[in-house]
Amino acid sequence: MEYQDYYKTLGVNRDASADEIKKAYRRLARRYHPDVSEEPDAEAQFKRISEAYEVLKDPEKRKLYDQLGENWQAGHDYSPPPGGQRTGSRTTSGFSGGGDFGDFSDFFESIFGRGAAGGFNDPFGEFRGQQRGPDWDRHQGASAQGRDVSAELEVDLEDAYSGATRTVSFTAAGQAQSQRRELKVKIPAGVTDGQRIRLKGQGEASPFGGENGDLLIRILIKPHRHFQLDGKDVHLVLPVAPWEAALGATVAVPTLGGKVELTIPAESQSQKRLRLKGRGMPGKTPGDQYVSLMIVNPPAKTEDAKAAFESFREAFDFDPRASLGSH
């Protein structure tokens, strides 16, 4: 039979720590899990890495496997050592099995016996019950948690700032069938766009009688007509009159927490950015509000207004396009 290099399968060194082995398994399981992978050989690959992890995560199994030596190469034939072959449900390794275990390779069974593997809790926190023999410990399955459920909830920026209670709709599988559910959710003040809220036990029921999965709610903050959100910072474009920008002024500026006074320095130009510290989204470290000035001219619809603009032009020797040069 073909020798299985479990270390190579997980992509770790032979002296890898238990934590390194676990991380390698979780990474590969995410890639090849049949429920999420688009790889054509995902199921076969997932079984291979599961078999490798079953051996290397267990100190006794790993020790026995390492006794085969370091010079075996994957793809070479392997023959079990004399007395090491399984007989019935018992082997010289001390591992007992029994039942019809069809998940792992003949190589695995030749060392550890049939039925030597336990149940898996996959890296997504969801039990994936492959076929088990009748002697498999059902209490392991009974402790498996139900699947987590994902949902999205759109909220107004004001609700994200102040906090609110809203209703989210989602579909979760029960013991008998999937059902549409609605649940009231408390939105914490200062939540950011894309942030996830976890509601423990509100996901799918476990088919084995274990704990329910969790509900993971992704918060989507609706666009606002005045404010733009950047993480915990808030941006606002503030229209100002030409004389306010030229001479300086103190004006009332809207923020998510109410209006505040802002001082505009004299000789300000459009796109000048001013900061209101701590006036962004609340939190342990609150965000800031950035105010970008936009100079807006009054309409020149009357003769007096036109005359005012004419005198304004005559008062200044000013070319707004001088910086463009001759181009």
Side-chain angles (χ1 to χ4, degrees):
M1 70 188 71
E2 183 178 329
Y3 174 80
Q4 302 293 323
D5 189 336
Y6 294 139
Y7 291 101
K8 186 175 181 180
T9 298
L10 294 184
V12 297
N13 296 325
R14 297 186 71 88
D15 60 352
S17 67
D19 187 56
E20 290 172 331
I21 290 171
K22 183 176 181 180
K23 288 181 179 179
Y25 167 70
R26 290 173 64 90
R27 182 181 67 252
L28 292 171
R30 289 190 183 97
R31 178 179 177 184
Y32 290 109
H33 200 294
D35 284 0
V36 298
S37 178
E38 296 182 358
E39 300 284 348
D41 59 344
E43 184 174 353
Q45 292 283 12
F46 187 72
K47 286 185 178 181
R48 287 181 64 247
I49 62 177
S50 295
E51 177 176 327
Y53 184 59
E54 172 68 19
V55 173
L56 300 185
K57 75 173 183 178
D58 186 302
E60 293 185 54
K61 287 189 179 76
R62 183 178 180 182
K63 181 178 180 181
L64 182 63
Y65 172 73
D66 286 344
Q67 289 176 359
L68 297 177
E70 300 183 10
N71 297 321
W72 289 99
Q73 297 294 325
H76 289 191
D77 288 339
Y78 162 76
S79 297
Q85 295 176 331
R86 64 181 186 275
T87 56
S89 63
R90 187 143 188 100
T91 70
T92 56
S93 70
F95 292 97
S96 60
D100 181 16
F101 182 76
D103 289 332
F104 290 166
S105 67
D106 290 341
F107 174 78
F108 177 93
E109 290 187 11
S110 73
I111 304 173
F112 305 109
R114 304 176 69 175
F120 278 96
N121 284 330
D122 77 18
F124 310 105
E126 306 161 1
F127 181 80
R128 296 293 184 261
Q130 299 171 352
Q131 293 181 353
R132 303 293 178 188
D135 293 334
W136 176 62
D137 185 356
R138 299 183 184 277
H139 292 291
Q140 292 181 349
S143 65
Q145 181 174 321
R147 297 186 186 186
D148 292 341
V149 176
S150 296
E152 292 184 344
L153 179 62
E154 284 192 331
V155 299
D156 294 328
L157 180 56
E158 288 85 355
D159 290 340
Y161 176 84
S162 302
T165 299
R166 293 292 178 263
T167 299
V168 62
S169 298
F170 61 99
T171 300
Q175 293 287 3
Q177 61 183 1
S178 296
Q179 55 183 336
R180 193 71 178 170
R181 295 176 55 193
E182 289 189 348
L183 193 67
K184 288 189 179 296
V185 181
K186 184 176 181 181
I187 309 299
V191 67
T192 55
D193 190 50
Q195 182 175 331
R196 293 183 184 273
I197 299 175
R198 179 183 292 270
L199 299 182
K200 187 171 178 59
Q202 296 296 334
E204 291 189 0
S206 168
F208 305 100
E211 294 183 356
N212 289 355
D214 299 337
L215 174 60
L216 304 176
I217 304 172
R218 183 168 177 253
I219 300 298
L220 302 177
I221 299 178
K222 299 177 184 178
H224 195 277
R225 61 176 180 170
H226 297 311
F227 300 107
Q228 290 80 44
L229 192 60
D230 181 15
K232 282 191 169 295
D233 292 335
V234 176
H235 294 260
L236 172 72
V237 175
L238 180 69
V240 295
W243 47 87
E244 290 175 329
L247 304 177
T250 298
V251 299
V253 176
T255 73
L256 289 170
K259 290 187 176 182
V260 298
E261 296 293 311
L262 174 68
T263 299
I264 299 174
E267 299 186 5
S268 291
Q269 300 290 337
S270 281
Q271 299 182 359
K272 181 178 180 63
R273 193 169 75 164
L274 306 173
R275 184 177 70 152
L276 293 171
K277 186 176 181 180
R279 289 290 180 170
M281 297 295 282
K284 185 176 181 181
T285 302
D288 300 328
Q289 177 167 316
Y290 291 92
V291 178
S292 297
L293 303 183
M294 180 179 67
I295 298 175
V296 179
N297 287 312
K301 294 183 178 181
T302 67
E303 292 301 321
D304 288 343
K306 292 178 182 179
F309 272 110
E310 185 66 34
S311 62
F312 190 71
R313 180 174 61 180
E314 293 175 356
F316 293 93
D317 180 16
F318 175 66
D319 181 1
R321 293 168 294 282
S323 60
L324 298 179
S326 59
H327 297 287

